[in-house]
Amino acid sequence: TAWAFAKLGVSAPLLFEAISRGTVERVDSFTELNLENTAWAFAKFGIHAPELVHAIARESEQRIGSFEPQDLANIAWAFEKLGISAPRNFGNLTQSPTT
C-alpha cells in the first residue's frame, strides 16, 4: 500500500503513520521486496519513521544474501535519504573480492 501511494505520488501522511505503527512488529514476515518497497516509499516522501526503518534495517541485515541487487540499492538509497545508517553488511557489498 505504501509503495502504491508513493509510486503514484500521493502523499498520505496519516496512512503512512498507520502503516508504520502497524508493521514495525511484523517486518520479519515481509519478503525482501516488501522490505525494499516499504523503505523506498517512506523515503520518497521523506517520512521519518525511525522505529520502522530501523526494524527494516535489522531484518535486511539478517537476509542480505537473499536480496536482488536492485532491491539492495533501493534500500541503501532509502536509508541515505532518511539519514539512517545502512546495516554494517551493506558495506561489504561494495568491496571487490580479493584473490
Side-chain angles (χ1 to χ4, degrees):
T1 302
W3 177 87
F5 274 77
K7 187 73 174 168
L8 293 171
V10 177
S11 179
L14 294 177
L15 173 67
F16 277 77
E17 183 180 323
I19 289 170
S20 177
R21 281 192 320 266
T23 59
V24 168
E25 296 173 4
R26 298 181 328 145
V27 295
D28 62 338
S29 67
F30 281 23
T31 66
E32 287 76 15
L33 186 60
N34 293 147
L35 293 168
E36 179 262 323
N37 283 343
T38 303
W40 180 85
F42 276 77
K44 178 156 171 62
F45 288 121
I47 297 171
H48 295 274
E51 288 183 38
L52 175 60
V53 176
H54 286 292
I56 290 172
R58 283 189 303 274
E59 192 63 30
S60 298
E61 186 173 25
Q62 293 175 6
R63 295 196 232 167
I64 198 157
S66 301
F67 282 91
E68 294 295 324
Q70 185 63 53
D71 297 335
L72 286 174
N74 289 346
I75 287 178
W77 173 84
F79 292 157
E80 177 66 26
K81 175 107 169 131
L82 294 171
I84 303 293
S85 296
R88 291 182 307 248
N89 289 346
F90 275 43
N92 296 337
L93 297 174
T94 61
Q95 298 171 358
S96 58
T98 56
T99 55

